[in-house]
Amino acid sequence: MIEARGLTKDYGDKRAVDGLTFSVRPGVVTGFLGPNGSGKSTTMRLILGLDAPTAGDVTVNGKHYRDHAAPLHEVGALLEARSVHTGRSAYNHLLALAGTHGIPRRRVDELIDLVGLREVAKQRAGKFSLGMGQRLGIAAALLGDPATVMLDEPVNGLDPEGIHWMRSLLKGLATEGRTVFVSSHLMSEMSLTADHLIVIGRGRKIADTSTSEFLAAASGNIVRVRSPQAAELQRLLAGPDVTAAALEPGHLEVRGLTAAQIGDAAAEHGLRLHELTPQQASLEEAFMNLTREDIEYKAAELEAEDAVA
Amino acid sequence: MSTVTSIYRLPRLPHTGRVTQARVVLSEWTKLHSLRSTKWSLFAGALLTIALPILFAAVTSSHWGTMSPHERADRHPLDIALAGVNVGQLAIAVLGVLVITGEYSTGMIRASFTAVPKRLPVLWAKTLVFGAVSFLLMLPPVLIAFFASQAILSRHHILQISFSHPGVARSVIGGAVFLTLVGIFALGIGAIVRNTAGGIATFAAIFFVIPPLMNILPTSWNNAISQYLPSEAGRQIFSLTHGAHSLAPWPGGLLFLGYCALALAIAAVLLVRRDT
C-alpha cells in the first residue's frame, strides 16, 4: 500500500510533481502512466525517500519508507536510472544489498536463477546489455520478498521473451497479494498488465481509474460495419444518440450502439453484413487525448525558447 | 522451452532481518573487496610504500662515498624508511574519494540508500571498513620498508637506527596511521563533493596546493598558520623530529583526526539533507 497526499517536488523553478494524491492498493497491478518527463520517476524517488518532497507526504505500508526497520522487505524498487556499480559482478551486487538485511546467500542464488542471469552472474555488471541490467534490477528489487513492488519502466530494453516474462511476473506478484506499482509511458503495455491506472501529465494527476473504465470512457464505443447495403443500414440505424458515418462506400463507423444491437437490427430488416467489429479507440489514442494539453504546452514552451534563442 | 519464462512465482523469504549497523558494515566489506579497482589501488599503495624506501636506501648506500658531509648530515634513516608514505598517501586518498564517489557516478548510491534509507549507517560503515582495511594493509608495508631499508644501509654501516630508539616505533607505525587517516579524510571529502574528479581535486588542493602557497605570506604568518594545516599537522604522526614551527606528534595527530571528524560531520549533515 502506497499513499501519497499532496505530494509536490520542485527542482529549482521547475515543478516536477504537483500535488499528487493517490493510493496504490495491494493485490492488483497499478499502472503509473504519463509521457516522458511527466514526473513518474520523481514520484518514485519521493516514495523511496531518495529525494525529499517540497510539500506533501508519502507513506508505504503506513510509514515513511526510511522509518521501516527492514526497508527491502517493504518495497522492492527498480528505478529507471541504473543503480549498479559497473565494476562489480551481478552476484556481488546482490550479495552486498542482501547483506544490509541479513538476507542469506542462497536467496541471492535463488533470485539469480529466477531472473535468468546464472551464466553471467560473475561478470561485471558494466558489461551487461540493457535487458540484462533490467533483470539484475528486478532481482535486486525482489531480494527482500517485498510487500510492495515498484518498477520504473521495467520492460525498457527487454526482448519479446523478456517482456512476456515481465508481464507474467507482475501478474504473479499481484496474485500473491503484493502491491504492484509499475510506470510506463506506453499505454499499450499498461493495457496488458495493469488493472488500475494512475495517469499523470506535467506532474499532475489526470486520471485514477480502472483500466477497463479508462478504456471505455476514452473509446466512446465505435463499431465498424461493412455491408453491401450500407446506405440502407445507415438510414435504419440513425437516431438521436446514434451517428453512423460513411467513411467510404460500403463502410460505416457507428457510435452509440453496440455490435449486438446493430447486428440484430440488420437481421430484422434482412440486411446483409460483411463485417461487424467493435473498435476500442487505441489506448495510445486515449492517452494522447488525455495528455494532449500537456504535450501542446511543451511544444509551445519549446517554440518560445527557440524564439528567445 | 526456456527456464526463465516458466518461473513466475517469487519464492518466499522465510525470515527477514532488520537493517543494523553491523550488517551495513558487512555489506560495505562485500562492496570494497568485490571491486578490482580497489584491490589494485591498495596493492599499488602498498607496493610504493615498500619499493621507494628500498630504492632510496640503495641509492644512498651506493653514493655515500661521494657525498659531502653536509649532504650526509641531511640524510635521516626514517626519512628513507617512510619515503613511500608520501607517495602512498596519493593512492590511498584517491581510493578514499572513490569509495563514495564511485557509487554516485555509477548510480549504485540509489541502491545503497534504498537498502539503507537512513543513510548515515552507510557513511559510518564505509569509514570503518575502509579505515580498517587501509590500516591493516599499510602497516606491514611500513614495517617492511623500515627493516628492509635498514638492512640495505647496514651493509655499508651507515644511517643505522634501532626500532626501539625513542620515537622510531611511533613514527613507523604512525606512517600507517597517517595513511589511514588520509584515506578517511579523502572519503569525507568525496562524500561532500560527490564527484570523483572534484573530490580528488579538492583533496589535492588541501594537501598539495595550499601548503606551498603559504610561502607567499610573511614568514611570521606562515610559521603561525602552516603548522595547523591538515597535511602539516598530519605528517607529525610519522615525523621523528619536530621543528620550532610544527606541532608535537600527539597534538598534530589529534588535530588531523579532528579534520577527519569535521569532514565526516559535514558529509553526514549533507548526506541526510540532500536529494540523491
Side-chain angles (χ1 to χ4, degrees):
Chain A
M1 186 80 164
I2 301 170
E3 286 172 292
R5 287 168 297 271
L7 200 58
T8 302
K9 179 64 179 177
D10 293 342
Y11 293 108
D13 293 341
K14 194 181 177 296
R15 179 149 290 190
V17 172
D18 194 355
L20 279 188
T21 299
F22 63 85
S23 50
V24 184
R25 287 170 293 116
V28 295
V29 177
T30 301
F32 192 31
L33 195 63
N36 287 325
S38 57
K40 303 186 297 292
S41 300
T42 302
T43 304
M44 289 189 165
R45 281 205 304 275
L46 293 171
I47 293 169
L48 293 174
L50 289 174
D51 288 12
T54 306
D57 196 35
V58 60
T59 57
V60 181
N61 305 332
K63 278 187 190 175
H64 289 140
Y65 180 71
R66 59 162 290 156
D67 293 332
H68 283 288
L72 291 184
H73 188 51
E74 304 296 332
V75 181
L78 168 75
L79 297 173
E80 193 182 13
R82 275 224 186 163
S83 313
V84 180
H85 198 297
T86 44
R88 197 172 283 125
S89 73
Y91 185 83
N92 282 323
H93 173 70
L94 294 176
L95 200 60
L97 292 178
T100 59
H101 285 59
I103 296 169
R105 204 172 266 266
R106 65 173 178 280
R107 175 70 173 179
V108 171
D109 282 307
E110 208 168 60
L111 277 155
I112 281 177
D113 288 332
L114 178 80
V115 301
L117 285 179
R118 172 56 59 201
E119 274 148 46
V120 293
K122 304 280 177 181
Q123 284 179 25
R124 296 193 305 132
K127 291 184 188 166
F128 280 17
S129 67
L130 199 54
M132 284 151 78
Q134 288 294 83
R135 285 170 186 267
L136 177 56
I138 297 288
L142 301 180
L143 208 50
D145 192 12
T148 297
V149 180
M150 185 168 81
L151 311 172
D152 200 0
E153 304 272 359
V155 300
N156 261 7
L158 292 181
D159 53 20
E161 187 221 27
I163 291 172
H164 175 70
W165 169 76
M166 178 65 66
R167 287 175 191 151
S168 313
L169 183 73
L170 293 178
K171 288 193 169 154
L173 290 170
T175 311
E176 288 168 351
R178 297 175 209 267
T179 304
V180 181
F181 190 42
V182 189
S183 84
S184 178
H185 64 283
L186 296 173
M187 264 309 309
S188 49
E189 185 54 40
M190 288 290 93
S191 70
L192 291 167
T193 42
D195 308 297
H196 192 89
L197 289 178
I198 295 170
V199 186
I200 68 167
R202 234 188 309 152
R204 291 212 189 99
K205 191 167 83 175
I206 299 173
D208 187 346
T209 174
S210 74
T211 308
S212 52
E213 270 173 46
F214 180 75
L215 279 177
S219 66
N221 284 332
I222 300 170
V223 182
R224 190 171 67 202
V225 185
R226 281 185 196 279
S227 165
Q229 295 154 301
E232 290 166 77
L233 191 63
Q234 193 177 10
R235 281 193 295 277
L236 174 69
L237 296 176
D241 296 325
V242 180
T243 58
L247 298 180
E248 53 189 86
H251 183 183
L252 296 178
E253 232 182 43
V254 183
R255 282 172 201 266
L257 291 173
T258 64
Q261 289 170 318
I262 298 166
D264 289 350
E268 278 169 31
H269 293 80
L271 298 176
R272 283 176 290 145
L273 295 182
H274 289 176
E275 183 188 351
L276 186 61
T277 316
Q279 306 273 290
Q280 284 191 327
S282 83
L283 281 164
E284 236 69 46
E285 268 174 71
F287 180 44
M288 294 296 273
N289 283 338
L290 266 175
T291 56
R292 180 162 295 147
E293 200 186 328
D294 177 39
I295 290 158
E296 277 170 3
Y297 170 85
K298 268 195 202 138
E301 211 173 41
L302 281 177
E303 275 165 27
E305 277 169 19
D306 286 347
V308 173
Chain B
M1 182 65 202
S2 160
T3 51
V4 175
T5 49
S6 61
I7 307 166
Y8 304 139
R9 295 195 76 81
L10 175 62
R12 301 311 301 243
L13 188 61
H15 170 80
T16 316
R18 45 177 47 227
V19 175
T20 63
Q21 182 67 64
R23 283 174 170 159
V24 180
V25 168
L26 179 75
S27 164
E28 287 302 328
W29 163 241
T30 305
K31 284 187 195 171
L32 190 74
H33 78 72
S34 62
L35 282 182
R36 242 186 301 178
S37 56
T38 319
K39 288 187 205 159
W40 281 109
S41 305
L42 283 171
F43 179 68
L47 198 69
L48 285 170
T49 308
I50 298 172
L52 261 114
I54 290 176
L55 189 70
F56 274 35
V59 170
T60 306
S61 298
S62 62
H63 286 71
W64 191 258
T66 59
M67 278 183 183
S68 68
H70 181 72
E71 269 182 304
R72 289 181 179 183
D74 236 19
R75 293 284 187 270
H76 192 279
L78 270 191
D79 289 345
I80 293 171
L82 295 172
V85 172
N86 292 307
V87 185
Q89 67 175 329
L90 192 60
I92 291 284
V94 168
L95 193 56
V97 168
L98 270 176
V99 160
I100 186 99
T101 60
E103 293 216 9
Y104 280 99
S105 64
T106 57
M108 178 66 199
I109 197 75
R110 286 186 284 268
S112 297
F113 286 169
T114 303
V116 187
K118 290 190 168 54
R119 300 186 184 183
L120 287 184
V122 175
L123 182 65
W124 308 144
K126 278 190 188 299
T127 307
L128 185 74
V129 169
F130 183 61
V133 168
S134 298
F135 183 72
L136 291 175
L137 281 178
M138 287 305 148
L139 186 59
V142 290
L143 291 172
I144 292 168
F146 174 79
F147 290 109
S149 61
Q150 281 290 299
I152 292 166
L153 295 168
S154 76
R155 280 190 274 164
H156 297 78
H157 310 289
I158 52 169
L159 295 172
Q160 291 299 294
I161 194 164
S162 160
F163 194 67
S164 56
H165 186 276
V168 171
R170 188 264 306 154
S171 298
V172 173
I173 295 167
V177 172
F178 173 72
L179 287 174
T180 304
L181 291 179
V182 163
I184 290 172
F185 185 69
L187 192 153
I189 288 173
I192 294 168
V193 178
R194 301 197 291 185
N195 170 286
T196 305
I200 293 171
T202 306
F203 176 84
I206 294 172
F207 260 64
F208 306 123
V209 178
I210 294 177
L213 279 182
M214 288 293 145
N215 293 326
I216 300 167
L217 298 176
T219 311
S220 61
W221 290 21
N222 184 2
N223 288 342
I225 296 169
S226 282
Q227 55 185 322
Y228 299 109
L229 292 176
S231 51
E232 282 307 304
R235 61 182 305 110
Q236 304 314 318
I237 305 172
F238 67 99
S239 299
L240 188 62
T241 54
H242 302 276
H245 301 293
S246 58
L247 297 170
W250 277 102
L254 286 174
L255 179 59
F256 189 42
L257 190 67
Y259 279 116
C260 294
L262 180 67
L264 286 177
I266 295 171
V269 171
L270 292 175
L271 206 66
V272 172
R273 286 196 183 170
R274 285 194 293 210
D275 287 346
T276 306

